[in-house]
Amino acid sequence: MKTFLKDPKILIGTVLTLLIVLLAVVGPLLAPHGEYDIVGRPFTREGTFLGTDYLGQDVWSRVLYGGRSVLIIAVLATAVGVLLGIVIGVVAAYAGGWLDEILMRGNDVLLAFPQILIALLVLSAVDQPTWWMIVLIVGIAHAPRVARVSRGVALTYVNQDFITAAEAMGESRWRVVFTELGPNLAVPLLAETGLRLTYSIGMVAGIGFLGFATDPGAADWGQMTNENRLGLLVQPWGVLAPVLIIGLFTIGTNLIADGIGQRTAKGAS
Amino acid sequence: MSTAAQPIEPDEAVCTASDLRVSLRARGVDVVDGVDLVLRPGKIVGLVGESGSGKTTSGTALLGYARTGAAITGGQIIVAGHDVRSMSPGQVRRIRGIDIGYVPQDPSSALNPAIRIGAQLRELLDLHNVGTPAERADAIRTILPEVGLPNTDEFLRRYPHQLSGGQVQRVALAMVFLPRPKVLVLDEPTTGLDVTTQSMVLETLDRLCERFAVAALYVTHDLAVVATIADRVAVMYAGQLIEIGPAAEIFNRPGHPYTRALLNAIPHLHRSFALTGIPGRTPAPGARPSGCRFHDRCAFAIAECAATEPDYADVGPQHHARCIRTGELPAWDPRARAVADTDPQRERDLVLTVQDLNVYYGPAHVVHDVGFDLARREIVALVGESGSGKTTISRCVAGLHDQWDGEVDLGGEELVRSARRRTPEQRKRIQYIFQNPYGSLNPRRTVEQILLRPLELFGVAHGRAARERAAQLLDAVQLGEGALSLRTNRLSGGERQRVAIARALAAEPDILVCDEITSALDVSIQGSITELLNRIKNERSISMLFVTHDLALVRSIADRVLVLQHGRLVEGGLAADVLDRPEQTYTQDLLAHTPTLEHTLE
């Protein structure tokens, strides 16, 4: 872990990510105004330094309130997607044969759909989307991509002699997967997890922007960009503030993922 | 260091390197220093050393090349009248391939599978603008018969895949000699080739170097190959030339303790030798000891060896060794290490019988009706060229491959095909050691974790007892207890293979199946592993199935030998009988093509 933080890429990424997570977590405590308080006329420089939004609510306060839901949903969705994907990918790689074929061809079919399309299809079919729906949709949309990567990573190990040696000794298949294969996959898949987190944030915010928020009135970085886009020319901060924060966060997680990926490619873990 | 120690006749030498130094730029550490080499037309100098000795670095330095991160930082390199170090990269590039050629490991890999033979040969001449197009075509037609290939249009139009393996090697050799280089650097060109192909390549190289008066440097770790091809031999250790002399001199009167230790690690075909390794590790650049670099591993070292860096001392005519005690060393007699062959009258208590073994890979039938047996405290070698089925048979015995039929009987119990379906007791009794210790140990686990698992799984020991047992096992394979907490990536190849052997021993098996377990290792490590296996066999009454392609090694390790060709058993019997009095022509061929030191011995 310490060697990771010596890499400037990973260090900068970690600092950015932590700063924004901190902002989202303690934000509501620091906010000068309430989440729904009307502090002035809409789209003006009234309120704190970022001005007001389409209803006259304080943009800075809503930015501070609006991170939690996005981040929590994104993190949970990433966890669901990565876990599901790794299980599918590693099982396919280790089992091989027909099971590998079935899993991977099914995977290819899912890969053919754009992620956001699946999300819209499901969300437009329900009256009111709940947070766990978004978690599941985004997570499941990630799974086939993670499955492909983890199968690839696992394939480089499944035919190595140390796996054969464990099998020849009569180790159970699960033990082979968890104690022999697993530790070797951890670092490369950590990089993939970081990348998926980046996409999750984008997707969750995008779903908010498209109007499928779980609570239409609540502050939410994605939803804010939608609400305030009409005033983009008069009061750009209503859109720019959440966009910048999402941008910085994705850059942060991406830098971490990229840094870890490069280090594993070099074999320096 | 001093050129006086090595007389140079400038009119004769076509390539000289003096006081050559190659350093790692970032750390300012020398990889190679003070190397003097003289190459003369038509003569081959063998540059021998173990991994990390700097032999390849010295070889490529003659082409003005140092690998990324390294640079040639001192000395003078003269190639065919060019002072390589004072030339610009562009100028050096122009003499490469024309004046000085480089032949990598497995030269045939240099052929592009998508280009016809004729076009590939022409490419090099076109690139360097050698002669007129007619002359180029002519040069190609003259070189092909020299390497034993037809020079017809039909042949030139073929693609590499339309040639046999031997022919591909010949084409690659033709490419090397086509521009008529004056100097050649051959970097282990036959490593990984089968003995018959290797023997063809060596024979052709030898003939063409003499025919075209090429001065060659043959870089290799294999002393037996050097004994076959080289006129002079230079031995490298830890970045220095430690001994140089005529081949016959080096093999009969080695003047440096390191050369002697290397020779002690090399098996002979017609005499069983007790092989020994060299204690310790080859020091890495930057960690090399002061004084004589070999003093900390040397059996003859005295206090002064650590203090003074020895200069070349004369051992014989044209023969120098960097050792202050070279005159005091006892007379060299390789025969002193000879041990008795297996007693043919010995009683055999069979532990494993294999009958009518047929093995398949999908539709391919790769092993046909093979049968053999293995007795307690006996080592049976399976030998053959690649594709002979020797590894396949060993995998079937261990249950790692399950497409076979026939009968494998372990102490009265018939074994089922796959290890997973065998009883734990049967799995415990047969342990498999893999060829490549870099792949057979999990890089994410410590040595202790690796050793504890079989102890627990087979119920040999648990908890504290198991940890004590793991330490004992490490001791049995001559590794310190300190290695327990290390991950395997901190260990050298030889140390890893010892851990793999310890893991196999942890199960307290009756049979060890060893699949080419020394072929990825240096000769001195091969020597010490062989020593270790012989000791394990005697101390623990273990039997071994020893797969190898090295017939000479068979003589030193195995009691009995089985020769395989294309999945069929050609010949089998006591090692001494088969190697000294082969009955089948295939065995005779193999033996004739196996490089060996014996013919150099006086």
Side-chain angles (χ1 to χ4, degrees), chain A residues 94 157 160-173 175-176 179-181 183-184 187 269, chain B residues 395 398 400 419-420 427 431 434-436 438-445 450 453-454 456-458 487 503:
Chain A
Y94 183 55
Y157 291 100
Q160 288 216 7
D161 287 340
F162 68 84
I163 301 288
T164 317
E167 284 175 345
M169 240 189 267
E171 287 276 24
S172 75
R173 291 187 200 278
R175 235 196 118 93
V176 173
T179 63
E180 301 287 340
L181 203 51
N184 287 292
V187 177
S269 69
Chain B
R395 291 179 79 92
L400 304 182
R420 211 175 260 294
R427 278 201 294 265
Q431 290 293 313
F434 294 83
Q435 170 173 13
N436 179 3
Y438 291 86
S440 66
L441 302 173
N442 192 337
R444 307 298 299 182
R445 317 204 79 199
I450 287 170
R453 191 56 199 154
E456 284 165 3
L457 195 69
F458 293 118
R487 287 217 180 128
R503 172 173 66 184

Side-chain angles (χ1 to χ4, degrees), chain B residues 38-53:
Chain B
V38 180
L39 307 181
R40 296 190 170 83
K43 300 285 181 210
I44 299 176
V45 174
L47 185 61
V48 213
E50 298 189 279
S51 35
S53 62

